[in-house]
Amino acid sequence: RVVDIGCNIGYHARCFTREGASVTGIEHDADHCRMLKALNDLEHTHFQWIPKPFEGASIGSYDIGIMLTVFYHVMKNEEVCRAFLDKLDQSVEQLLFWESGDDPRKEKRLIQENTGFTRYEKLADTFGTGKLRELGVFQK
């Protein structure tokens, strides 16, 4: 069971679906949702997706979470950040694959101090949209 938080156009969600995982994608951007649906139809890789912000979505629990360059968008608003972290802690039971925004240290600290994800392993430095980022995995 995999949840792709902020799945954009569903690339990673479709990859996990093709491998046999039960996948839910969360994406609130209407343009991304239209493209996601078209690509799912084209590739015949249908996964459940919810067109809402993650912190407000009604979802179950998952073994694995994917959260790539998503959290930094909400962490500046304290109320939204708290709701997001609460939902993350409730929804993802084992592993969280994460890629940072432009402040990896702050994101890691917020996740580790406000969820059950206490263990972290850095996988790589990454670079995207003009920002140095970090890719890693959190474990409960």
Side-chain angles (χ1 to χ4, degrees):
R1 298 167 304 154
V2 177
V3 62
D4 189 348
I5 303 162
C7 69
N8 198 284
I9 61 172
Y11 175 81
H12 295 100
R14 282 192 303 283
C15 289
F16 274 92
T17 298
R18 283 191 295 272
E19 294 300 320
S22 173
V23 179
T24 299
I26 313 290
E27 178 56 55
H28 73 278
D29 183 274
D31 291 331
H32 292 162
C33 287
R34 280 191 289 279
M35 188 168 291
L36 180 156
K37 182 182 180 329
L39 288 167
N40 279 353
D41 291 344
L42 179 68
E43 296 181 12
H44 305 287
T45 52
H46 301 280
F47 59 88
Q48 177 186 2
W49 55 279
I50 301 170
K52 293 185 177 185
F54 174 69
E55 65 277 5
S58 179
I59 62 173
S61 62
Y62 301 86
D63 303 308
I64 298 171
I66 305 169
M67 187 171 75
L68 306 177
T69 65
V70 172
F71 183 53
Y72 80 105
H73 291 292
V74 301
M75 63 187 252
K76 294 173 182 114
N77 179 317
E78 191 173 319
E79 185 177 321
V80 174
C81 181
R82 166 55 49 206
F84 189 99
L85 289 168
D86 286 346
K87 178 70 71 173
L88 182 66
D89 198 33
Q90 295 165 9
S91 304
V92 181
E93 296 179 352
Q94 295 177 27
L95 298 174
L96 176 66
F97 289 91
W98 161 85
E99 186 178 33
S100 73
D102 53 3
D103 193 348
R105 285 189 185 122
K106 184 175 182 181
E107 285 189 48
K108 287 186 290 191
R109 182 181 53 76
L110 283 169
I111 292 168
Q112 289 181 307
E113 290 178 0
N114 295 285
T115 70
F117 292 105
T118 56
R119 294 175 31 203
Y120 175 76
E121 184 173 336
K122 180 178 178 177
L123 300 176
D125 288 316
T126 60
F127 187 81
T129 61
K131 297 176 181 176
L132 183 61
R133 302 177 187 274
E134 185 174 321
L135 177 69
V137 62
F138 290 92
Q139 295 177 317
K140 283 193 173 177

